[in-house]
Amino acid sequence: MSTAEATTTTGTEVMTYREALRLALREEMERDERVFLMGEEVGVFEGAYKVSAGLMDQFGADRVRDTPISEEGFVGAGAGAAMLGERPVVEIMTLNFLLVAMDQVINHAAKVGAMFGGEVRCPMVIRTPNGAGNQLTAQHSQSFDGWFAGTPGLKVVAPASPADAKGLLKAAIRDEDPVLVLENLPIYKEKGEVSLDPEFVTPIGLANVARTGEDLTIVSHGFATVRALHVAEQLAADHGIDAEVVDLRSLRPLDVQTIAESVAKTNHVLCVEEGWPSYGVTAEIAARVQKACFDDLDAPVERVGMAEVPLPYAKELELAAMPHEERIAAAALATLGRAS
Amino acid sequence: MAVTVPPRTDQLDRDTRRELYETMVLSRVFETEAERQYKAARIGGYCHLSSGQEAMTIGAMHALHADDLLVTGYRSHGFALARGIPPEAVMAELFGRVDGCAHGRGGSMHLLDPSRGYYGGWGIVAGQLPIATGLALALRRQGREQAVLCELGDGAVNMGAWHESLNLASLWDLPVVFLVVNNLYGMGTAVERASAEPDLYKRASAYRMHGERVDGDDLDTMIEAADRLLTAAREEHRPAVLEAVTYRYRGHSVADAGLAYRSKEEIAEHQRHDPIVREREKLLAEGVSEEELAAIDTHADERVAAAVQAALDSPAPQPDRLAYGMHGVGSAEQFARMRPGSAYGEEALTFDAGLGA
């Protein structure tokens, strides 16, 4: 441990989600020589979304490694380096581009531990923003969270706040297994209190009750949690409804226990995600809840997600498809049998 | 970019040649037995045999240093044996037993032994190339003067992963030799029916990388070429493509008779130049007696019989070890809160490596 680390304050500071990610990367790279960042435009360009700004100056081009546009190649190279004890953090510009590397993620990195009988591990982090908005259209507006979270061998986390952006990314880097960190473009600029303690991590597999309430449980992750928290305040102000928001933080492992404890109190569940609901995260939550919480439910589990179309360009159409706050609020009221 | 390391001129001494011959014979006998055990339903899944390719395999493995790394596709029994994995551990893996090199979790396609630098046995065509590239990147980052040998088949060179890996390896000066095992057919499709440039080694030039083609059925040629390119990888950090032309006698896998796309006459013609026979003739010329050669055959038979017995004696993995190895230290606590409402019952899964395979 360096002197700088040993003397770091343990207070907090208000910073953006983007800055929190950068702080996590900087701290982990200072702590552990094996940690390195690679991806398209992470070095000279300082990141397509500026998450890695300043890191190449501090750590050099070897540890902040620019790659060609070659996701299958460098995601697989990350997996291979991890198998030899490195701690690569691979940045993918957006989740949509990870599709061309799916063979390396699903057929390779995710298989290393089990398929080789525990003889070798693959401690790789892939971090990438997902989600929709800003008229990015069909090929750049997708969320496949459920695809990855449904794959044994992977871990998937989705920070919704600056604090968790730091804590979960650090936990992912320190983990023994491949971890996908799902970030969100719209939250990069969100601000919040973040611990300055270099040993602060957010445990993987632990959901967060982001808002306590008595009447309804809203289960969400990533940007959907930001929306859910806004909706909860509106519901309180406009309808006197006290909603609890369970922010999943981790999709695999999934903290069903925290959801079940919340449902035992509220008896009503609304699941929200940014992606398409069919076969999605909300489908999984609904299936688990109906089994784990059957006696506690006073109404069917309700879901809100992206309209099931490739996202169109026109602003009006994009808005119509998105799981925006009005749709979430209307679903919350419907779940409770209240008119909107 | 030219490789500047000169060709190796020293010849194999007689003892080394005899040892390599023993491994070639062991590989052939092992695979003949594997096919027999497959047909007796003791081996399942896919089982890809490499009979006929022994000079390529054993030659490349002889050139690979003990601290170098190896990555292969799924036709890898010979590589595993030549790398020194005991035949017992390979056969037990084929049988799906706990004493297999992957504790019965991988089978024929996913052999490995990290303690011998062998990082798998991968089953998706060309998928192992980015992995090998990453291993080579790690070697560079760790300042180690070692190389990675990445085996692939002729069918892999038309995959995107091939192009992306060669580009990265050359761009970043990574110590990896891509060994293209050109056995003339990707499954049942002849190379010239699949590749617009059937001189596969030439494709290296697109990445400013050295490429060459050798007779993969001649042990000395294989050793010389693999040694030269691996040395350049270690010392100059330059990757290379080594195309070894060889022939597999058996079908693509045990399930394929191998006759839909080639004739019996073609196979017989290749068998007339059998790499084991070629080595046998060299040994006889060097004064090794027929009796010694017969003893080598007998010894291989005995070792393979012992491997079968060991595999039979090894227990099956227990169902409560279903998730063994999947996740690393600390994962059991992470997954503990996933149990309510689970479809399968995650409580049945344990990720605790301490419990054993």
Side-chain angles (χ1 to χ4, degrees):
Chain A
M1 183 181 279
S2 71
T3 317
E5 273 178 287
T7 57
T8 302
T9 172
T10 55
T12 63
E13 191 178 301
V14 174
M15 65 180 77
T16 63
Y17 188 96
R18 184 195 328 268
E19 289 164 342
L21 291 167
R22 188 183 304 144
L23 180 59
L25 288 168
R26 179 175 287 129
E27 285 177 0
E28 293 306 295
M29 290 177 78
E30 284 171 347
R31 181 185 65 83
D32 187 346
E33 279 287 317
R34 302 172 301 171
V35 179
F36 69 101
L37 177 67
M38 69 173 162
E40 294 152 7
E41 310 294 353
V42 297
V44 175
F45 197 86
E46 301 197 306
Y49 300 104
K50 305 301 174 195
V51 169
S52 53
L55 295 183
M56 194 175 83
D57 287 345
Q58 183 178 350
F59 297 103
D62 177 60
R63 291 185 72 194
V64 182
R65 181 177 287 264
D66 279 322
T67 67
I69 302 168
S70 187
E71 284 87 357
E72 183 175 16
F74 68 77
V75 168
M83 290 173 71
L84 209 61
E86 298 293 299
R87 295 278 174 158
V89 178
V90 178
E91 177 177 307
I92 302 290
M93 203 178 293
T94 83
L95 182 67
N96 306 278
F97 309 153
L98 192 54
L99 301 191
V100 296
M102 280 300 263
D103 181 53
Q104 288 301 318
V105 179
I106 306 296
N107 256 330
H108 293 80
K111 299 295 184 280
V112 168
M115 185 173 84
F116 292 134
E119 289 293 316
V120 59
R121 305 233 63 85
C122 184
M124 171 174 60
V125 173
I126 300 172
R127 38 167 295 269
T128 185
N130 71 350
N134 300 318
Q135 292 181 277
L136 293 172
T137 323
Q139 293 184 319
H140 293 79
S141 303
Q142 303 169 99
S143 303
F144 299 113
D145 314 6
W147 290 11
F148 296 96
T151 300
L154 291 181
K155 292 172 183 171
V156 182
V157 298
S161 68
D164 285 342
K166 180 186 175 189
L168 284 172
L169 178 53
K170 286 168 71 80
I173 291 170
R174 296 180 184 195
D175 204 86
E176 297 283 312
D177 298 315
V179 183
L180 175 64
V181 180
L182 294 170
E183 302 166 4
N184 283 85
L185 292 181
I187 335 183
Y188 277 145
K189 61 183 184 306
E190 294 270 329
K191 286 185 176 174
E193 292 266 343
V194 175
S195 169
L196 296 176
D197 179 0
E199 287 308 307
F200 167 80
V201 295
T202 304
I204 292 174
L206 206 57
N208 177 41
V209 179
R211 184 189 194 277
T212 55
E214 301 292 328
D215 301 330
L216 167 72
T217 300
I218 305 179
V219 183
S220 56
H221 68 279
F223 189 50
T225 290
V226 177
R227 297 184 197 270
L229 287 168
H230 291 163
V231 169
E233 295 309 318
Q234 287 167 22
L235 290 172
D238 300 346
H239 300 276
I241 292 168
D242 188 16
E244 180 148 302
V245 177
V246 175
D247 174 30
L248 294 173
R249 296 203 289 205
S250 171
L251 300 181
R252 185 179 195 91
L254 181 66
D255 180 359
V256 186
Q257 196 173 315
T258 293
I259 302 170
E261 284 163 10
S262 178
V263 175
K265 185 171 61 171
T266 66
N267 312 115
H268 295 83
V269 188
L270 169 62
C271 309
V272 187
E273 67 182 309
E274 290 288 295
W276 296 306
S278 290
Y279 307 93
V281 175
T282 54
E284 181 64 26
I285 303 296
R288 301 245 178 186
V289 164
Q290 62 84 21
K291 188 173 175 188
C293 313
F294 188 72
D295 292 333
D296 291 324
L297 287 172
D298 286 348
V301 178
E302 189 56 80
R303 300 196 280 156
V304 172
M306 188 68 73
E308 304 219 352
V309 293
L311 214 62
Y313 171 71
K315 214 174 181 61
E316 295 79 2
L317 292 178
E318 181 185 60
L319 186 65
M322 300 272 282
H324 52 71
E325 293 176 13
E326 289 75 12
R327 283 181 58 209
I328 298 169
L333 292 169
T335 305
L336 291 166
R338 304 264 296 264
S340 46
Chain B
M1 195 173 288
V3 170
T4 56
V5 177
R8 207 168 85 163
T9 51
D10 53 324
Q11 293 294 305
L12 290 177
D13 63 59
R14 202 176 73 165
D15 286 348
T16 305
R17 187 180 294 286
R18 187 168 51 200
E19 279 170 27
L20 295 176
Y21 177 77
E22 283 184 12
T23 308
M24 291 172 72
V25 172
L26 174 68
S27 179
R28 179 74 59 87
V29 172
F30 184 96
E31 294 211 302
T32 304
E33 181 64 19
E35 182 167 14
R36 207 175 71 80
Q37 295 294 338
Y38 189 93
K39 287 171 177 167
R42 286 186 177 133
I43 298 172
Y46 293 140
C47 187
H48 306 89
L49 305 178
S50 61
S51 299
Q53 303 184 175
E54 291 87 354
M56 176 279 298
T57 306
I58 280 72
M61 289 299 89
H62 181 62
L64 197 68
H65 290 180
D67 61 354
D68 285 335
L69 307 181
L70 171 68
V71 174
T72 71
Y74 45 76
R75 195 179 305 281
S76 63
H77 303 153
F79 285 96
L81 293 169
R83 196 61 183 164
I85 305 181
E88 289 80 0
V90 181
M91 193 65 85
E93 190 57 39
L94 269 50
F95 277 45
R97 306 290 96 176
V98 291
D99 296 309
C101 52
H103 308 298
R105 272 45 171 212
S108 167
M109 292 187 286
H110 307 303
L111 305 173
L112 87 160
D113 186 343
S115 75
R116 291 178 168 85
Y118 182 21
Y119 283 84
W122 299 85
I124 305 295
V125 170
Q128 74 275 28
L129 275 76
I131 299 286
T133 303
L135 289 167
L137 173 62
L139 289 177
R140 282 304 305 275
R141 281 185 43 73
Q142 294 164 10
R144 292 155 67 175
E145 292 271 302
Q146 295 155 237
V148 181
L149 185 79
C150 177
E151 182 267 352
L152 60 140
D154 52 80
V157 303
N158 298 314
M159 293 287 283
W162 153 269
H163 297 282
E164 295 195 20
S165 298
L166 265 63
N167 186 56
L168 289 178
S170 188
L171 189 68
W172 291 345
D173 293 313
L174 301 181
V176 53
V177 174
F178 298 100
L179 170 61
V180 182
V181 179
N182 181 352
N183 60 21
L184 314 189
Y185 297 92
M187 205 164 165
T189 303
V191 167
E192 59 273 16
R193 291 177 60 222
S195 287
E197 173 50 272
D199 292 343
L200 306 181
Y201 69 98
K202 290 181 179 172
R203 295 171 176 222
S205 67
Y207 302 98
R208 293 199 176 182
M209 189 188 293
H210 175 80
E212 68 182 77
R213 171 184 276 178
V214 296
D215 175 5
D217 290 338
D218 183 74
L219 186 70
D220 297 84
T221 303
M222 268 309 297
I223 292 171
E224 187 280 320
D227 179 68
R228 182 162 37 81
L229 299 188
L230 284 164
T231 301
R234 282 182 217 108
E235 296 179 0
E236 300 172 32
H237 311 301
R238 284 306 299 166
V241 168
L242 175 59
E243 178 186 357
V245 179
T246 181
Y247 196 80
R248 69 168 148 78
Y249 297 156
R250 314 304 302 163
H252 169 69
S253 70
V254 175
D256 165 32
L259 292 168
Y261 48 89
R262 57 186 189 174
S263 65
K264 283 181 178 166
E265 292 71 27
E266 180 186 306
I267 299 169
E269 175 58 29
H270 282 278
Q271 285 174 326
R272 269 194 284 281
H273 310 287
D274 186 286
I276 293 180
V277 172
R278 282 163 76 167
E279 271 312 293
R280 187 183 166 84
E281 283 162 2
K282 288 181 200 168
L283 285 166
L284 286 168
E286 287 183 11
V288 177
S289 69
E290 291 278 5
E291 290 72 24
E292 280 177 274
L293 294 174
I296 287 172
D297 289 346
T298 306
H299 184 54
D301 289 342
E302 289 167 356
R303 289 185 74 188
V304 170
V308 169
Q309 192 56 51
L312 287 169
D313 292 343
S314 178
Q318 292 300 302
D320 65 358
R321 294 290 179 273
L322 192 56
Y324 176 79
M326 180 160 65
H327 288 300
V329 173
S331 298
E333 294 136 44
Q334 295 174 356
F335 279 83
R337 300 170 71 88
M338 196 161 174
R339 291 172 186 166
S342 69
Y344 174 79
E346 272 79 6
E347 62 274 21
L349 303 183
T350 176
F351 308 121
D352 190 342
L355 294 174

